[in-house]
Amino acid sequence: MGAVQAFAQDHPMTVVSHDSVVQQSGATLYTFGVLASSAAVSAVEPLDVLGTPVVDDAVVSAVVSGAPGAYAGFGNNAFDRVQELPSIRAGAYFRVQKLDSAAVVGSSCTVLGLSDEEFQALLADVATATGCSGEALTEKTFGSVPMAGLFAFFSAGAFLLLALGLSLLLVARSLLELKTLGVRLMLGWGAGGFLLRLFRPQLAQLLAVVPVCLAGTALMLSGFGLTAPLAAFVGTIVAAPVVAVLLSLALAALPILLVKPVDAICARYSRRGFYVLAAGVYLVTLAAVFGGSLYINQPLAMYTDLARTRSVWSAYEDWWVVKDLSVDGQHFVGDAMAQAKDVYDWYAAHEDDEGVYLSNVSYTPEVDIEGDLPDAAVRPVPFWYLAASPSYLEQAGVELSPDVLAKVRQGVRVYLLPSSLSAGETEALKSYLLASRKPWDSNIVTEYMKHPSTEFVPYDGAKGLFTWATHEGEPAETSGMVIAVLSAENMVPFESESLVASGLNSYLKLDGQAASQLLDNDSVALNSGLDLRFATVGNFIDGMKKLFEELFFLFGIVLAMLVIIVAVMVLCIVEVVNRVSAREVSVKCVLGFGPWTIYRREFLFVNIATLTGVAVSALAQSTAGLLMGGALLVASNLLIVLAARRRSVAVVLETVSKEQ
């Protein structure tokens, strides 16, 4: 990107990159990077989804003219978000951000506003910088395949299973009404009239499809306007269940239309075959449910991790962190060292105020350790490092002795090392910490820099401490941290000059009470000599909250659909038994037998089939499958008992009336 940025300084142009990635939740994130030589953005071909503009000139201009880090659409930081973009929950999200020197161009890149000669000159510069030929840079060497989101996948699967279950129920009803049909045919009824009377409730219930589909569409779509393409999209959604119901009715009508009157009166059909059909459909449905549970195991693990992270973050949601630093409304201007000194002086003046904290967490990888100790025979293993004030450590549950507190305030650097480390590991850590935190010339001179003194104190590192991490794969809490206990008097320039850093992991932090006393109405630090603005942690993790809510919605709907499908199939099996073995059920019911005696085969069949799925899930180490299996065992047995008690009396009365 360096060559492109350099070229853009002398040529009015706009660069738009595009990339897409499938997230763990199954949704696809479409990211557009924008680089413009000035605020005057070249005309960008708009991206419309369902007739609603998602990315257009207005969005691109807002991002380009925004502050550093400005973006539109999907993201965690609400303060840097200049505009919301439409999205399809659990399906597709969009993000427009700035292209900087560290940005990845993505799968494609479009350059606007250049003539052919200027474009060839840009191509030559990029080819020189990357070592690739101009032909290789402009030739498409790959393709892409659209992928449906996780919610779409499960919705389609659940729809097919429900349609299969509906077909079985309707066919069962047709077969079980053959004797009634035979009588009606002998009395002069037509098969068509009998069908209409039999399935009139199902036809009437089709009217409920429209509001249900509209409600589902409204839940899935966010930020879309009422357009003709959206109406067509909703029409296809409505048409799918209507067609499924009509096809099921047509399938159920075949036995009635094709049966002979005598066969209908005698109800001649294979009861064993009917049992096999019902059991087969149930097993297929159960296999699909457990197969789906295996598929969602990874996203469910992501949801669990996010829930745990969200719970940890909630304790700091009302805290305030540095948002940015400006001079006369402009960023990155003026004397940076003087600004760092002003921020340091402001902190030193309020260090002992209630609710004022210092905290910065970082992970020290092996490459950094090798860089600071290139010739060391023994090096420490990578570790998490926390630089924090005594006030922060106190609220985090790390106890400090009065002697340690006194030394820290006198300018002694105190490191807390986990007591679980061996003697060799402790010595290696000491060497690294001394080598990596050396003072250098700075206009911020602390007592430690005048009289360097360092002490190492063991502590119980078993307690997990918050990492302030937001990147995927990083833990929200971790134990065994190496802790530097900081005060205004024992900082080295690496820390004192970093107090101006912004973001969630910035050094300076305030709780709600301190913010109300130290910030003005614009969230700017009082008496700081510059515009040091703070923002609540809640604004920075806005996207995390939204992702948590949408994943909760996704898995709630998915799990509900799976449970409903199996429940329908269990009820279908009970109904088939009640109809096909009506005389046997009624006799046992009159004699006082309970549900277990009457439906023993069904109980055993359902439980053995479900336990088999649970065993497979256990072998596959699928948490989702185990949870689903447990829920199905409880729900299936409960449904059989409730259905038995509700329908047994009706079966007895119906059987007696037919016998008479």
Side-chain angles (χ1 to χ4, degrees):
M1 283 302 300
V4 178
Q5 288 180 316
F7 193 87
Q9 292 178 356
D10 302 321
H11 300 82
M13 58 182 284
T14 300
V15 180
V16 180
S17 70
H18 167 256
D19 197 14
S20 62
V21 60
V22 178
Q23 300 177 309
Q24 281 187 324
S25 63
T28 301
L29 173 61
Y30 298 92
T31 302
F32 300 89
V34 181
L35 170 66
S37 53
S38 65
V41 180
S42 303
V44 176
E45 183 178 354
L47 171 65
D48 289 350
V49 177
L50 297 177
T52 298
V54 176
V55 180
D56 54 17
D57 292 345
V59 174
V60 173
S61 297
V63 172
V64 170
S65 59
Y71 71 96
F74 184 85
N76 285 338
N77 190 343
F79 268 106
D80 287 339
R81 187 188 302 118
V82 297
Q83 187 173 332
E84 294 279 1
L85 296 181
S87 62
I88 302 175
R89 289 188 176 90
Y93 299 96
F94 303 92
R95 177 184 173 96
V96 179
Q97 62 187 22
K98 292 186 176 183
L99 278 175
D100 55 30
S101 57
V104 177
V105 173
S107 60
S108 64
C109 187
T110 302
V111 181
L112 305 172
L114 295 181
S115 64
D116 290 340
E117 292 78 8
E118 291 172 330
F119 179 73
Q120 293 301 324
L122 171 63
L123 204 59
D125 290 351
V126 175
T128 301
T130 60
C132 298
S133 65
E135 292 77 10
L137 292 171
T138 56
E139 181 182 5
K140 185 175 181 179
T141 57
F142 55 86
S144 62
V145 177
M147 296 182 65
L150 183 64
F151 189 81
F153 173 82
F154 273 102
S155 296
F159 175 78
L160 292 175
L161 291 175
L162 284 173
L164 184 62
L166 177 63
S167 299
L168 176 62
L169 284 173
L170 294 178
V171 170
R173 188 171 185 188
S174 295
L175 293 175
L176 296 172
E177 293 293 335
L178 285 180
K179 182 176 291 188
T180 304
L181 171 64
V183 175
R184 297 292 175 89
L185 290 177
M186 297 298 294
L187 294 176
W189 279 56
F194 182 79
L195 278 174
L196 183 61
R197 185 181 182 87
L198 181 64
F199 295 126
R200 183 179 299 166
Q202 284 71 34
L203 292 173
Q205 289 167 4
L206 279 177
L207 297 176
V209 169
V210 175
V212 170
C213 290
L214 289 176
T217 303
L219 288 173
M220 291 299 299
L221 302 181
S222 174
F224 288 89
L226 297 176
T227 61
L230 178 62
F233 175 70
V234 175
T236 60
I237 294 178
V238 173
V242 171
V243 170
V245 172
L246 293 178
L247 289 176
S248 299
L249 289 173
L251 184 62
L254 290 178
I256 292 177
L257 294 175
L258 300 178
V259 71
K260 297 178 181 180
V262 176
D263 293 336
I265 293 175
C266 297
R268 292 174 180 170
Y269 59 87
S270 173
R271 296 186 179 185
R272 180 175 296 179
F274 206 29
Y275 280 131
V276 171
L277 175 62
V281 173
Y282 176 80
L283 290 176
V284 170
T285 302
L286 197 65
V289 167
F290 278 105
S293 299
L294 293 174
Y295 184 82
I296 67 173
N297 197 55
Q298 183 179 4
L300 183 61
M302 174 190 174
Y303 176 81
T304 304
D305 292 341
L306 186 59
R308 183 169 56 252
T309 301
R310 179 74 183 90
S311 175
V312 176
W313 273 101
S314 63
Y316 300 91
E317 191 169 359
D318 296 329
W319 280 32
W320 293 69
V321 296
V322 177
K323 181 184 183 296
D324 56 39
L325 174 67
S326 62
V327 178
D328 297 329
Q330 298 184 2
H331 303 277
F332 308 115
V333 296
D335 188 342
M337 294 303 301
Q339 294 170 7
K341 180 67 164 59
D342 289 340
V343 175
Y344 170 82
D345 291 339
W346 183 84
Y347 170 73
H350 299 285
E351 180 179 16
D352 296 324
D353 291 1
E354 186 74 21
V356 177
Y357 308 106
L358 278 186
S359 169
N360 179 266
V361 182
S362 60
Y363 181 74
T364 306
E366 186 175 357
V367 62
D368 290 352
I369 297 174
E370 292 178 354
D372 287 314
L373 297 175
D375 301 323
V378 180
R379 302 188 184 98
V381 297
F383 60 92
W384 285 89
Y385 178 83
L386 168 63
S389 61
S391 58
Y392 180 86
L393 294 175
E394 180 182 358
Q395 67 83 34
V398 179
E399 296 183 2
L400 300 175
S401 67
D403 180 56
V404 168
L405 289 173
K407 290 181 178 180
V408 168
R409 297 191 181 282
Q410 293 168 5
V412 178
R413 285 189 70 84
V414 176
Y415 291 100
L416 305 183
L417 304 183
S419 56
S420 59
L421 297 177
S422 65
E425 291 172 331
T426 300
E427 290 303 318
L429 262 178
K430 290 180 180 180
S431 300
Y432 174 77
L433 293 171
L434 292 173
S436 62
R437 294 297 185 266
K438 292 179 179 179
W440 62 73
D441 291 337
S442 173
N443 63 337
I444 304 175
V445 180
T446 64
E447 183 64 27
Y448 173 78
M449 295 171 66
K450 298 176 184 177
H451 306 95
S453 178
T454 303
E455 290 192 11
F456 299 92
V457 178
Y459 86 105
D460 183 7
K463 177 180 174 57
L465 298 176
F466 191 39
T467 64
W468 294 89
T470 58
H471 297 294
E472 185 177 332
E474 293 182 340
E477 290 184 326
T478 189
S479 58
M481 281 190 179
V482 175
I483 302 175
V485 186
L486 296 186
S487 71
E489 293 302 327
N490 71 355
M491 292 185 189
V492 294
F494 179 86
E495 296 148 350
S496 60
E497 295 175 8
S498 297
L499 297 183
V500 297
S502 61
L504 285 174
N505 203 22
S506 60
Y507 278 82
L508 283 175
K509 294 178 174 68
L510 310 174
D511 66 13
Q513 180 181 353
S516 65
Q517 298 174 354
L518 300 178
L519 305 181
D520 63 17
N521 294 333
D522 295 323
S523 304
V524 175
L526 295 170
N527 305 317
S528 63
L530 38 79
D531 291 337
L532 181 65
R533 288 200 300 167
F534 285 76
T536 62
V537 170
N539 285 286
F540 283 95
I541 62 174
D542 174 75
M544 184 187 299
K545 293 188 293 184
K546 183 179 296 185
L547 180 60
F548 179 84
E549 293 167 356
E550 293 188 355
L551 278 177
F552 182 83
F553 166 79
L554 166 65
F555 287 110
I557 294 295
V558 167
L559 295 178
M561 287 192 298
L562 294 178
V563 171
I564 289 173
I565 290 169
V566 176
V568 169
M569 297 310 304
V570 170
L571 292 176
C572 178
I573 290 176
V574 174
E575 184 66 17
V576 168
V577 173
N578 285 337
R579 292 288 187 172
V580 175
S581 303
R583 183 174 299 177
E584 178 184 349
V585 171
S586 61
V587 170
K588 289 183 177 179
C589 183
V590 171
L591 293 177
F593 290 103
W596 167 252
T597 304
I598 300 174
Y599 300 99
R600 180 179 301 169
R601 291 173 301 180
E602 289 68 38
F603 273 113
L604 291 174
F605 171 71
V606 168
N607 283 282
I608 291 174
T610 305
L611 287 173
T612 302
V614 171
V616 173
S617 298
L619 291 175
Q621 298 182 342
S622 171
T623 304
L626 294 175
L627 293 175
M628 179 59 65
L632 290 179
L633 282 173
V634 175
S636 299
N637 287 280
L638 183 61
L639 281 171
I640 294 177
V641 172
L642 293 177
R645 290 179 176 177
R646 186 178 65 87
R647 290 291 297 161
S648 294
V649 176
V651 172
V652 171
L653 294 176
E654 185 177 347
T655 302
V656 171
S657 65
K658 288 183 178 180
E659 293 296 329
Q660 292 177 347

